[in-house]
């Protein structure tokens, strides 16, 4: 574990960890000629493998992916599921990773920074475009942080069959960066600010929210918790369960997480000081009233998922009822949240983290970062962006789906999807 700032004994123990790198690792007992480009070990245990390519030799990241999918037997001990944390395929311009090698079915995700609101990496005047992998990510402290707070094997249960599957997760670059930047800002400025995170469909928002909530609970400044409780607010029933299960599997003490289905559950969870409280957007007025009056001496972090138009008119109607209003078909969840936050002004004992794919102008004004322009006009921008353009170019959503609604999610990296997206961009 990464040591806390006031624990010299933990720092001493952490310093004893041995981080090592082996080049051309011979991994097979049956064929000793087989070798892997690079592997990282901690105290002798393998955690990361690499296949490295160079476009100057007419090989790129896709050749590294092909090598993992076709030449690396997942039955080999080093490549067996849960043996290593992650497998990286990279060249001098792009990075991809996989958490479960499964032959040709191995699913590789991008680990790129993004460039010009799209896929890829920005030019690097000081080296190759992918050197951030070892300069930023593979330092001892950051690698330990990822192992402790991000990398995880979680259980997924099929509600129809009852079967339980295990899934190994690892953060994409934008997920890691948004959580780190949010934690750094609240640690520097304390509770009482608003943050707008504009992450498109396909960004892995559920995991980003879970990672943020999990780490906000333990965040300290000079030995004092930054937030006493974290409240996760969502309007999607299926995501309620997904977030709840993911967060619970991160939290080592299960009773620190509460699911507030009813108003009384929410009040009790806040009163009992539960560390993480997951609830629906209908309870949002209760949250604001409670933490602004009865619990004004405590500090809260409120994570609002999908702070945009609800996916059904009935959801908006229920929100109006919860607020004591008549149903207004032109008013949606995003409008109501903005109205509530604006009506209560800014609670000084709460920070707001609003995750949305397509924020309205009002939402940008309410939660965005104010930036005065040269002409005197004040514009507002998201704190962090994973754009729809990047999601399309990385293959997480189709061009057609984005044009119609920006909501439909497709399976990653199928040949057909790539061809359709490429063709549509040319026709556009």
């Amino acid at each position: 574990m990464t040591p806390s700032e006031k624990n010299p004994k933990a720092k001493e123990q952490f310093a004893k960890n041995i981080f090592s790198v082996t080049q051309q690792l011979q991994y097979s007992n049956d064929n000793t000629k087989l070798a892997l480009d690079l592997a990282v070990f901690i105290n002798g245990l393998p955690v990361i493998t690499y296949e490295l390519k160079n476009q100057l030799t007419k090989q790129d990241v896709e050749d590294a992916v092909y090598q993992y999918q076709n030449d690396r037997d997942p039955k080999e001990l080093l490549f067996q599921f849960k043996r290593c944390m992650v497998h990286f395929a990279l060249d001098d311009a792009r990075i991809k990773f996989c958490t479960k090698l499964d032959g040709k079915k191995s699913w590789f995700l991008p680990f790129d920074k993004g460039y010009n609101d799209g896929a890829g990496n920005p030019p690097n005047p000081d080296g190759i475009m992918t050197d951030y992998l070892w300069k930023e990510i593979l330092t001892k402290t950051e690698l330990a942080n990822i192992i402790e707070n991000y990398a995880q094997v979680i259980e997924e249960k099929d509600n129809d069959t009852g079967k339980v599957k295990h899934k190994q997760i690892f953060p994409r670059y934008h997920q890691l960066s948004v959580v780190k930047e949010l934690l750094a800002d609240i640690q520097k400025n304390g509770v009482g600010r608003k943050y707008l995170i504009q992450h498109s469909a396909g960004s892995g928002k559920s995991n980003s929210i879970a990672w943020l909530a999990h780490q906000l609970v333990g965040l300290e400044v000079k030995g004092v918790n930054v937030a006493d409780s974290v409240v996760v607010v969502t309007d999607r029933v299926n995501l309620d369960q997904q977030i709840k299960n993911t967060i619970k599997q991160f939290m080592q003490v299960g009773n620190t997480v509460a699911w507030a289905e009813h108003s009384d559950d929410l009040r009790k969870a806040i009163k009992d000081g539960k560390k993480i409280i997951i609830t629906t957007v209908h309870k949002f007025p209760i949250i604001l009233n409670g933490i602004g009056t009865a619990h004004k001496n405590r500090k809260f972090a409120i994570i609002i998922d999908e702070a945009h138009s609800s996916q059904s008119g009935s959801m908006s109607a229920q929100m109006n009822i919860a607020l004591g209003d008549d149903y207004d078909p032109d008013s949606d969840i995003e409008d109501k949240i903005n109205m509530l936050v604006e009506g209560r002004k800014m609670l000084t004992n709460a920070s707001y983290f609003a995750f949305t794919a397509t924020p309205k102008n009002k939402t940008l004004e309410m939660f965005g970062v104010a930036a005065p322009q040269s002409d005197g006009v004040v514009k507002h921008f998201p704190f962090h962006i994973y754009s729809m353009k990047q999601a399309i170019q990385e293959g997480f959503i189709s061009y057609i789906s984005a044009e119609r609604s920006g909501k439909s999610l497709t399976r990653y990296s199928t040949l057909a999807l790539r061809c359709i997206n490429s063709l549509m961009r040319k026709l556009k």
Side-chain angles (χ1 to χ4, degrees), residues 280-352:
T280 63
V281 74
H282 310 103
K283 310 300 184 298
F284 199 67
I286 300 171
I287 298 168
L288 294 183
N289 289 333
I291 67 178
T293 54
H295 302 280
K296 60 184 179 181
N297 294 323
R298 295 177 59 204
K299 294 171 291 184
F300 293 83
I302 302 175
I303 302 174
I304 306 167
D305 172 58
E306 290 293 344
H308 58 65
S309 304
S310 174
Q311 297 181 31
S312 68
S314 61
M315 182 71 77
S316 184
Q318 291 175 45
M319 186 64 173
N320 277 280
I321 293 170
L323 292 169
D325 299 333
D326 295 327
Y327 175 55
D328 177 4
D330 295 324
S331 182
D332 58 27
I333 298 296
E334 183 177 358
D335 295 326
K336 293 301 180 185
I337 289 176
N338 290 338
M339 185 188 72
L340 280 165
V341 174
E342 191 173 35
R344 291 292 315 211
K345 300 307 178 182
M346 186 62 196
L347 297 177
T348 56
N349 64 328
S351 290
Y352 300 82

Side-chain angles (χ1 to χ4, degrees), residues 10 12 108 140 179 185 193 201 219 280 321 328 345 362 365 395-396 420:
E12 181 183 338
F108 278 79
K140 291 182 180 180
V179 175
D185 194 89
R193 297 166 71 91
L219 192 65
T280 63
I321 293 170
D328 177 4
K345 300 307 178 182
K362 183 65 174 179
E365 292 175 7
F396 284 96
I420 291 172

Side-chain angles (χ1 to χ4, degrees), residues 92-366:
D92 44 333
R94 301 289 303 279
I95 303 176
K96 291 186 175 183
F97 72 90
C98 177
T99 57
K100 182 182 180 181
L101 294 182
D102 192 16
K104 293 181 179 179
K105 294 188 292 183
S106 302
W107 187 28
F108 278 79
L109 301 171
F111 195 79
D112 295 328
K113 287 185 172 184
Y115 180 53
N116 282 341
D117 265 349
N121 285 303
N124 180 6
D126 300 316
I128 63 174
M129 286 186 276
T130 53
D131 69 4
Y132 61 90
L133 182 61
W134 51 88
K135 288 182 177 179
E136 297 178 23
I137 308 302
L138 299 181
T139 65
K140 291 182 180 180
T141 303
E142 186 57 25
L143 184 54
N145 173 46
I146 292 173
I147 293 172
E148 181 181 352
N149 294 308
Y150 296 88
Q152 182 87 346
V153 176
I154 62 173
E155 291 183 355
E156 291 184 342
K157 184 176 181 180
D158 190 312
N159 293 328
D160 296 326
T161 64
K163 290 184 179 179
V164 175
K165 294 191 302 182
H166 290 88
K167 180 180 179 182
Q168 189 161 303
I169 57 175
F170 188 88
R172 287 154 63 190
Y173 186 87
H174 69 271
Q175 294 174 311
L176 189 63
S177 65
V178 69
V179 175
K180 287 177 59 181
E181 288 172 25
L182 286 169
L183 294 175
D185 194 89
I186 193 172
Q187 197 168 28
K188 176 183 177 181
N189 298 299
V191 168
R193 297 166 71 91
K194 291 180 285 189
Y195 305 89
L196 179 63
I197 301 93
Q198 183 179 334
H199 279 197
S200 168
S203 68
K205 198 155 46 236
S206 300
N207 284 339
S208 298
I209 289 172
W211 285 319
L212 177 61
H214 161 65
Q215 293 180 69
L216 280 170
V217 167
L219 192 65
E220 296 182 350
V221 174
K222 296 181 179 179
V224 179
N225 285 341
V226 170
D228 297 305
S229 292
V230 178
V231 183
V232 181
V233 184
T234 177
D235 69 342
R236 293 183 288 171
V237 175
N238 65 324
L239 190 59
D240 294 343
Q241 189 68 31
Q242 187 178 354
I243 288 178
K244 179 173 68 171
N245 290 341
T246 304
I247 290 176
K248 275 192 171 183
Q249 291 182 75
F250 270 102
M251 300 302 292
Q252 296 183 7
V253 183
N255 62 7
T256 60
V257 181
W259 162 236
E261 186 175 3
H262 304 291
S263 300
D264 290 341
D265 299 332
L266 180 58
R267 292 189 183 95
K268 187 176 187 304
I270 294 175
K271 182 180 178 182
D272 292 347
K274 292 291 185 180
K275 289 296 184 181
I276 297 180
I277 304 164
I278 304 168
T279 189
T280 63
V281 74
H282 310 103
K283 310 300 184 298
F284 199 67
I286 300 171
I287 298 168
L288 294 183
N289 289 333
I291 67 178
T293 54
H295 302 280
K296 60 184 179 181
N297 294 323
R298 295 177 59 204
K299 294 171 291 184
F300 293 83
I302 302 175
I303 302 174
I304 306 167
D305 172 58
E306 290 293 344
H308 58 65
S309 304
S310 174
Q311 297 181 31
S312 68
S314 61
M315 182 71 77
S316 184
Q318 291 175 45
M319 186 64 173
N320 277 280
I321 293 170
L323 292 169
D325 299 333
D326 295 327
Y327 175 55
D328 177 4
D330 295 324
S331 182
D332 58 27
I333 298 296
E334 183 177 358
D335 295 326
K336 293 301 180 185
I337 289 176
N338 290 338
M339 185 188 72
L340 280 165
V341 174
E342 191 173 35
R344 291 292 315 211
K345 300 307 178 182
M346 186 62 196
L347 297 177
T348 56
N349 64 328
S351 290
Y352 300 82
F353 304 85
F355 283 77
T356 178
T358 52
K360 294 181 177 180
N361 288 333
K362 183 65 174 179
T363 307
L364 278 168
E365 292 175 7
M366 287 293 300

Side-chain angles (χ1 to χ4, degrees), residues 4-70:
S4 58
E5 55 182 294
K6 289 190 174 182
N7 192 334
K9 183 64 177 177
K11 289 182 180 180
E12 181 183 338
Q13 293 295 323
F14 179 76
K16 293 180 180 179
N17 288 314
I18 300 173
F19 294 76
S20 59
V21 178
T22 301
Q23 295 181 351
Q24 293 301 308
L25 176 66
Q26 294 175 318
Y27 59 83
S28 177
N29 288 324
D30 297 328
N31 188 346
T32 55
K33 292 183 179 180
L34 294 176
L36 184 75
D37 284 340
L38 210 65
V40 171
F41 297 80
I42 299 179
N43 300 330
L45 298 174
V47 289
I48 305 175
T49 72
Y50 302 84
E51 291 293 353
L52 311 174
K53 303 300 173 186
N54 188 333
Q55 293 189 35
L56 294 176
T57 61
K58 300 188 184 301
Q59 286 190 312
D60 61 17
V61 66
E62 298 302 336
D63 292 293
V65 169
Y66 181 89
Q67 197 166 9
Y68 270 121
Q69 291 176 332
N70 294 274

Side-chain angles (χ1 to χ4, degrees), residues 351-397:
S351 290
Y352 300 82
F353 304 85
F355 283 77
T356 178
T358 52
K360 294 181 177 180
N361 288 333
K362 183 65 174 179
T363 307
L364 278 168
E365 292 175 7
M366 287 293 300
F367 293 96
V369 178
Q373 305 298 298
S374 57
D375 58 2
V377 176
V378 177
K379 290 188 176 181
H380 294 80
F381 299 92
F383 180 84
H384 196 278
I385 296 177
Y386 174 80
S387 70
M388 188 174 292
K389 177 183 175 182
Q390 185 171 352
I392 292 171
Q393 292 181 354
E394 291 184 342
F396 284 96
I397 57 176

